[in-house]
Amino acid sequence: MTKPRTINTEAIVLRAAELGEADRLLTLLTPAHGKLHATARGVRKTTSKLGGHLDLLTRSALTLSYGNQGTGLATVTGAEALDSFMSLKADLRALSKALYLGELADTFHPLEAPNPPAYTSFLEALQALESPADHDLVLRSFELRLLDLCGFLPQLARCVQCEEPVLPGGHFLSPAAGGVLCPACKPSYGDALPISVDALKVVRYLAANSLSSSLLVNVRLPLHRELAALMSSLLRYTLERELRSTAFLRAIAQQWPKAEDVPSRTA
Amino acid sequence: MTTNDFLPAAAPVARLIQALHKLPGVGAKTAQRLTYYLVRMPEEEARALAEAIIAVKEQIILCSLCQNLTEQDPCPICTDPTRDRTTICVLEEPLDVLAIERTRCYAGLYHVLHGVISPMNGIGAEELKIRELLMRLNGGTVQELVLATNPNLEGEATAMYIHRLVSPLVPKITRLARGLPVGGDLEYADLITLTRAFQGRQAL
Ligand SMILES: [Zn+2]
Ligand SMILES: [Zn+2]
């Protein structure tokens, strides 16, 4: 099967690496074509008309052209920004979270494997980071939805080992086992972490519901800490590494713990 | 694509291809082409090139004040008595200093960060020359800090981050005017655009 010579698609720019004299190699997430690489020629020149439409975390309507044989790397031949997420980019805390989501999306999506619901989840998460919603809840919801859509969601209803339904209290989550464990089965897995009833409820709810429903949940700080730690060990196990952007996420959260601490560019 | 795709080649040739391939903007094919060009080059020319590379490594250091590349420390700009010592312009790369110097519209000092905050590439504030900037600002003589990082997401994020850190230390913090198109690199800006952006810099 040969690819069409040009495709028109919307896309969100996940990565942009310098290439040659004035070009960039982009990593794009699209609804119908999955994750793609494409070159954007001359975009680092200030005379470039495309450049402004291809910045990181910008959603654009693109025309991608392939070579004569319809193979190889696509070149961006047309770009028009649909949403630049300017208010998100003007807020360091929201931006650090959006960059983390971007790296998460980039890491989970293999090249050219369409996953339209995952694209929608990513777009909705970015939009939610521009709203006054609980941004940590946006992260947790996106992490769980992505795990689910990519087939890595842990088993949350029954003990993974003995298949007994999970009853309140004394439960554990083991990334290696791929789900929750009852107290009796816990000793079989060294990585099993205690999970509170509330955390288990929230994780189950977020995994099963849309972002907009998930954002109705009211999560207090201690529970947020537990959820963040649980998701971090789950993702580290699934990806076999730590995401690079988590360092910046933590640095910003530590340096400026409250939203009002960070002046926005327009302030 | 790795250089191994193009082998077999003699070991020294492969080694040079690999070394050139690490340079920015040099793909595997270009590295190969350059290598075979160098193989055919007269020996004295090749030796001069190798020595020029060694000389840069041995003689070029970072200015302890502005962090720009220099042969002497402090650098000629930092020691120039005619420069305005109350203004510092913060830039991503040494090449950006050249771009702004070419406009002849700025007489203050510089500070080169040597990069930009890029969380997805694991580059945070600690990897940049931000601590050195704070030390310069602690003296209290600086009245204006011009944040002239590139007008793209990472450049803006770096400017916001520095703005937040230094706002108690500097009375006036400015950013280059929006005449610079988003996504472009400062080093590619034409003189008129860059001069206008500099003159129209806005307080943050
Ligand atoms: Zn069990
Ligand atoms: Zn200097």
PDB file of all heavy atoms in Angstrom, chain A residues 5 7 58 62 85 95 100 129 140 151 160 163 169 177-179 188 202 213 218 225 237:
ATOM      1  N   ARG A   5       0.071  11.195  -1.730  1.00  0.00           N
ATOM      2  CA  ARG A   5       1.186  12.146  -1.807  1.00  0.00           C
ATOM      3  C   ARG A   5       1.008  13.315  -0.852  1.00  0.00           C
ATOM      4  O   ARG A   5       1.978  13.859  -0.379  1.00  0.00           O
ATOM      5  CB  ARG A   5       1.360  12.624  -3.245  1.00  0.00           C
ATOM      6  CG  ARG A   5       1.938  11.499  -4.109  1.00  0.00           C
ATOM      7  CD  ARG A   5       2.258  11.968  -5.480  1.00  0.00           C
ATOM      8  NE  ARG A   5       3.215  13.077  -5.453  1.00  0.00           N
ATOM      9  CZ  ARG A   5       3.528  13.785  -6.519  1.00  0.00           C
ATOM     10  NH1 ARG A   5       2.955  13.533  -7.665  1.00  0.00           N
ATOM     11  NH2 ARG A   5       4.407  14.759  -6.438  1.00  0.00           N
ATOM     12  N   ILE A   7      -1.495  14.700   2.585  1.00  0.00           N
ATOM     13  CA  ILE A   7      -2.644  14.521   3.463  1.00  0.00           C
ATOM     14  C   ILE A   7      -2.929  15.832   4.181  1.00  0.00           C
ATOM     15  O   ILE A   7      -2.016  16.608   4.472  1.00  0.00           O
ATOM     16  CB  ILE A   7      -2.452  13.374   4.500  1.00  0.00           C
ATOM     17  CG1 ILE A   7      -1.178  13.569   5.317  1.00  0.00           C
ATOM     18  CG2 ILE A   7      -2.459  12.024   3.851  1.00  0.00           C
ATOM     19  CD1 ILE A   7      -1.046  12.559   6.460  1.00  0.00           C
ATOM     20  N   THR A  58       1.036  23.375  19.807  1.00  0.00           N
ATOM     21  CA  THR A  58       0.116  24.181  19.008  1.00  0.00           C
ATOM     22  C   THR A  58      -0.705  23.198  18.181  1.00  0.00           C
ATOM     23  O   THR A  58      -0.168  22.218  17.663  1.00  0.00           O
ATOM     24  CB  THR A  58       0.887  25.133  18.080  1.00  0.00           C
ATOM     25  OG1 THR A  58       1.637  26.022  18.887  1.00  0.00           O
ATOM     26  CG2 THR A  58      -0.044  25.926  17.176  1.00  0.00           C
ATOM     27  N   LEU A  62      -2.842  21.072   9.057  1.00  0.00           N
ATOM     28  CA  LEU A  62      -1.611  20.916   8.283  1.00  0.00           C
ATOM     29  C   LEU A  62      -1.854  20.249   6.942  1.00  0.00           C
ATOM     30  O   LEU A  62      -2.764  19.440   6.792  1.00  0.00           O
ATOM     31  CB  LEU A  62      -0.609  20.040   9.046  1.00  0.00           C
ATOM     32  CG  LEU A  62      -0.176  20.470  10.440  1.00  0.00           C
ATOM     33  CD1 LEU A  62       0.866  19.488  10.982  1.00  0.00           C
ATOM     34  CD2 LEU A  62       0.391  21.872  10.421  1.00  0.00           C
ATOM     35  N   PHE A  85      -3.048  27.718  22.378  1.00  0.00           N
ATOM     36  CA  PHE A  85      -3.058  27.547  23.842  1.00  0.00           C
ATOM     37  C   PHE A  85      -2.250  28.648  24.534  1.00  0.00           C
ATOM     38  O   PHE A  85      -1.409  28.374  25.379  1.00  0.00           O
ATOM     39  CB  PHE A  85      -2.535  26.157  24.215  1.00  0.00           C
ATOM     40  CG  PHE A  85      -3.352  25.034  23.654  1.00  0.00           C
ATOM     41  CD1 PHE A  85      -2.898  24.297  22.583  1.00  0.00           C
ATOM     42  CD2 PHE A  85      -4.605  24.736  24.180  1.00  0.00           C
ATOM     43  CE1 PHE A  85      -3.674  23.270  22.042  1.00  0.00           C
ATOM     44  CE2 PHE A  85      -5.375  23.716  23.656  1.00  0.00           C
ATOM     45  CZ  PHE A  85      -4.909  22.989  22.586  1.00  0.00           C
ATOM     46  N   LEU A  95       1.908  25.261  32.091  1.00  0.00           N
ATOM     47  CA  LEU A  95       2.800  24.862  30.997  1.00  0.00           C
ATOM     48  C   LEU A  95       3.628  23.640  31.375  1.00  0.00           C
ATOM     49  O   LEU A  95       3.793  22.717  30.569  1.00  0.00           O
ATOM     50  CB  LEU A  95       3.706  26.036  30.619  1.00  0.00           C
ATOM     51  CG  LEU A  95       4.711  25.752  29.499  1.00  0.00           C
ATOM     52  CD1 LEU A  95       4.005  25.311  28.232  1.00  0.00           C
ATOM     53  CD2 LEU A  95       5.564  26.980  29.223  1.00  0.00           C
ATOM     54  N   TYR A 100       4.448  17.918  30.305  1.00  0.00           N
ATOM     55  CA  TYR A 100       4.463  16.541  30.820  1.00  0.00           C
ATOM     56  C   TYR A 100       3.458  15.685  30.052  1.00  0.00           C
ATOM     57  O   TYR A 100       3.770  14.575  29.624  1.00  0.00           O
ATOM     58  CB  TYR A 100       4.162  16.566  32.317  1.00  0.00           C
ATOM     59  CG  TYR A 100       3.810  15.222  32.908  1.00  0.00           C
ATOM     60  CD1 TYR A 100       4.793  14.260  33.129  1.00  0.00           C
ATOM     61  CD2 TYR A 100       2.489  14.908  33.227  1.00  0.00           C
ATOM     62  CE1 TYR A 100       4.471  13.024  33.655  1.00  0.00           C
ATOM     63  CE2 TYR A 100       2.156  13.675  33.761  1.00  0.00           C
ATOM     64  CZ  TYR A 100       3.145  12.732  33.966  1.00  0.00           C
ATOM     65  OH  TYR A 100       2.817  11.509  34.478  1.00  0.00           O
ATOM     66  N   LEU A 129      -6.393  22.398  30.912  1.00  0.00           N
ATOM     67  CA  LEU A 129      -5.317  23.128  31.594  1.00  0.00           C
ATOM     68  C   LEU A 129      -5.438  24.636  31.359  1.00  0.00           C
ATOM     69  O   LEU A 129      -4.751  25.418  31.983  1.00  0.00           O
ATOM     70  CB  LEU A 129      -3.940  22.633  31.134  1.00  0.00           C
ATOM     71  CG  LEU A 129      -3.532  21.230  31.595  1.00  0.00           C
ATOM     72  CD1 LEU A 129      -2.151  20.870  31.056  1.00  0.00           C
ATOM     73  CD2 LEU A 129      -3.539  21.119  33.111  1.00  0.00           C
ATOM     74  N   ARG A 140      -4.041  13.225  36.258  1.00  0.00           N
ATOM     75  CA  ARG A 140      -4.378  11.849  36.652  1.00  0.00           C
ATOM     76  C   ARG A 140      -5.372  11.237  35.665  1.00  0.00           C
ATOM     77  O   ARG A 140      -5.241  10.089  35.270  1.00  0.00           O
ATOM     78  CB  ARG A 140      -4.970  11.818  38.065  1.00  0.00           C
ATOM     79  CG  ARG A 140      -4.098  12.383  39.186  1.00  0.00           C
ATOM     80  CD  ARG A 140      -2.836  11.598  39.426  1.00  0.00           C
ATOM     81  NE  ARG A 140      -1.713  12.001  38.587  1.00  0.00           N
ATOM     82  CZ  ARG A 140      -0.898  13.022  38.847  1.00  0.00           C
ATOM     83  NH1 ARG A 140      -1.063  13.766  39.935  1.00  0.00           N
ATOM     84  NH2 ARG A 140       0.105  13.312  38.033  1.00  0.00           N
ATOM     85  N   GLY A 151      -3.957   0.065  26.281  1.00  0.00           N
ATOM     86  CA  GLY A 151      -3.990  -1.322  26.738  1.00  0.00           C
ATOM     87  C   GLY A 151      -3.125  -1.624  27.950  1.00  0.00           C
ATOM     88  O   GLY A 151      -2.729  -2.770  28.158  1.00  0.00           O
ATOM     89  N   VAL A 160      -5.700  -9.184  41.187  1.00  0.00           N
ATOM     90  CA  VAL A 160      -5.149  -9.757  39.955  1.00  0.00           C
ATOM     91  C   VAL A 160      -4.765 -11.224  40.135  1.00  0.00           C
ATOM     92  O   VAL A 160      -4.761 -11.985  39.177  1.00  0.00           O
ATOM     93  CB  VAL A 160      -3.848  -9.052  39.460  1.00  0.00           C
ATOM     94  CG1 VAL A 160      -4.083  -8.407  38.134  1.00  0.00           C
ATOM     95  CG2 VAL A 160      -3.278  -8.108  40.467  1.00  0.00           C
ATOM     96  N   GLU A 163      -8.375 -13.231  41.946  1.00  0.00           N
ATOM     97  CA  GLU A 163      -9.640 -12.901  41.293  1.00  0.00           C
ATOM     98  C   GLU A 163     -10.781 -12.600  42.266  1.00  0.00           C
ATOM     99  O   GLU A 163     -11.933 -12.486  41.844  1.00  0.00           O
ATOM    100  CB  GLU A 163     -10.085 -14.020  40.324  1.00  0.00           C
ATOM    101  CG  GLU A 163      -9.129 -14.264  39.162  1.00  0.00           C
ATOM    102  CD  GLU A 163      -9.253 -13.237  38.050  1.00  0.00           C
ATOM    103  OE1 GLU A 163     -10.392 -12.878  37.691  1.00  0.00           O
ATOM    104  OE2 GLU A 163      -8.219 -12.774  37.556  1.00  0.00           O
ATOM    105  N   GLY A 169     -10.530  -1.511  52.220  1.00  0.00           N
ATOM    106  CA  GLY A 169      -9.511  -1.599  53.262  1.00  0.00           C
ATOM    107  C   GLY A 169      -8.430  -2.620  52.979  1.00  0.00           C
ATOM    108  O   GLY A 169      -8.672  -3.684  52.407  1.00  0.00           O
ATOM    109  N   ALA A 177       2.357  -6.735  39.069  1.00  0.00           N
ATOM    110  CA  ALA A 177       1.257  -7.687  38.960  1.00  0.00           C
ATOM    111  C   ALA A 177       0.228  -7.191  37.948  1.00  0.00           C
ATOM    112  O   ALA A 177      -0.548  -7.962  37.401  1.00  0.00           O
ATOM    113  CB  ALA A 177       0.597  -7.894  40.319  1.00  0.00           C
ATOM    114  N   GLY A 178       0.212  -5.868  37.702  1.00  0.00           N
ATOM    115  CA  GLY A 178      -0.745  -5.298  36.760  1.00  0.00           C
ATOM    116  C   GLY A 178      -2.105  -5.042  37.376  1.00  0.00           C
ATOM    117  O   GLY A 178      -3.118  -5.125  36.690  1.00  0.00           O
ATOM    118  N   GLY A 179      -2.148  -4.723  38.658  1.00  0.00           N
ATOM    119  CA  GLY A 179      -3.430  -4.383  39.258  1.00  0.00           C
ATOM    120  C   GLY A 179      -3.402  -4.413  40.762  1.00  0.00           C
ATOM    121  O   GLY A 179      -2.326  -4.408  41.379  1.00  0.00           O
ATOM    122  N   SER A 188       3.312 -11.899  47.377  1.00  0.00           N
ATOM    123  CA  SER A 188       3.922 -12.425  46.145  1.00  0.00           C
ATOM    124  C   SER A 188       4.614 -11.335  45.325  1.00  0.00           C
ATOM    125  O   SER A 188       5.384 -11.643  44.429  1.00  0.00           O
ATOM    126  CB  SER A 188       2.865 -13.082  45.250  1.00  0.00           C
ATOM    127  OG  SER A 188       1.888 -13.711  46.013  1.00  0.00           O
ATOM    128  N   VAL A 202     -11.086   6.766  43.412  1.00  0.00           N
ATOM    129  CA  VAL A 202     -10.824   7.828  42.428  1.00  0.00           C
ATOM    130  C   VAL A 202     -10.194   7.231  41.169  1.00  0.00           C
ATOM    131  O   VAL A 202     -10.602   7.552  40.053  1.00  0.00           O
ATOM    132  CB  VAL A 202      -9.921   8.939  43.026  1.00  0.00           C
ATOM    133  CG1 VAL A 202      -9.523   9.941  41.952  1.00  0.00           C
ATOM    134  CG2 VAL A 202     -10.639   9.654  44.159  1.00  0.00           C
ATOM    135  N   SER A 213     -16.394  14.493  33.289  1.00  0.00           N
ATOM    136  CA  SER A 213     -16.998  13.894  34.488  1.00  0.00           C
ATOM    137  C   SER A 213     -15.962  13.791  35.603  1.00  0.00           C
ATOM    138  O   SER A 213     -16.268  14.030  36.768  1.00  0.00           O
ATOM    139  CB  SER A 213     -17.535  12.497  34.214  1.00  0.00           C
ATOM    140  OG  SER A 213     -18.331  12.499  33.074  1.00  0.00           O
ATOM    141  N   ASN A 218     -14.003  15.883  43.732  1.00  0.00           N
ATOM    142  CA  ASN A 218     -13.293  16.810  44.604  1.00  0.00           C
ATOM    143  C   ASN A 218     -12.195  16.039  45.345  1.00  0.00           C
ATOM    144  O   ASN A 218     -12.483  15.188  46.172  1.00  0.00           O
ATOM    145  CB  ASN A 218     -14.293  17.437  45.572  1.00  0.00           C
ATOM    146  CG  ASN A 218     -13.662  18.538  46.389  1.00  0.00           C
ATOM    147  OD1 ASN A 218     -12.508  18.904  46.161  1.00  0.00           O
ATOM    148  ND2 ASN A 218     -14.412  19.055  47.351  1.00  0.00           N
ATOM    149  N   ARG A 225      -1.618  13.722  46.694  1.00  0.00           N
ATOM    150  CA  ARG A 225      -0.228  13.249  46.836  1.00  0.00           C
ATOM    151  C   ARG A 225      -0.154  11.744  46.645  1.00  0.00           C
ATOM    152  O   ARG A 225       0.718  11.239  45.951  1.00  0.00           O
ATOM    153  CB  ARG A 225       0.313  13.609  48.232  1.00  0.00           C
ATOM    154  CG  ARG A 225       0.524  15.091  48.401  1.00  0.00           C
ATOM    155  CD  ARG A 225       1.775  15.399  49.206  1.00  0.00           C
ATOM    156  NE  ARG A 225       1.938  16.843  49.333  1.00  0.00           N
ATOM    157  CZ  ARG A 225       1.473  17.542  50.372  1.00  0.00           C
ATOM    158  NH1 ARG A 225       0.872  16.935  51.367  1.00  0.00           N
ATOM    159  NH2 ARG A 225       1.647  18.852  50.409  1.00  0.00           N
ATOM    160  N   TYR A 237       6.921   1.910  35.876  1.00  0.00           N
ATOM    161  CA  TYR A 237       6.995   0.475  35.604  1.00  0.00           C
ATOM    162  C   TYR A 237       6.605   0.191  34.150  1.00  0.00           C
ATOM    163  O   TYR A 237       7.290  -0.553  33.445  1.00  0.00           O
ATOM    164  CB  TYR A 237       6.082  -0.309  36.549  1.00  0.00           C
ATOM    165  CG  TYR A 237       6.162  -1.791  36.292  1.00  0.00           C
ATOM    166  CD1 TYR A 237       7.169  -2.559  36.852  1.00  0.00           C
ATOM    167  CD2 TYR A 237       5.249  -2.424  35.432  1.00  0.00           C
ATOM    168  CE1 TYR A 237       7.273  -3.914  36.577  1.00  0.00           C
ATOM    169  CE2 TYR A 237       5.354  -3.773  35.146  1.00  0.00           C
ATOM    170  CZ  TYR A 237       6.361  -4.518  35.726  1.00  0.00           C
ATOM    171  OH  TYR A 237       6.472  -5.848  35.441  1.00  0.00           O
TER     172      TYR A 237
END
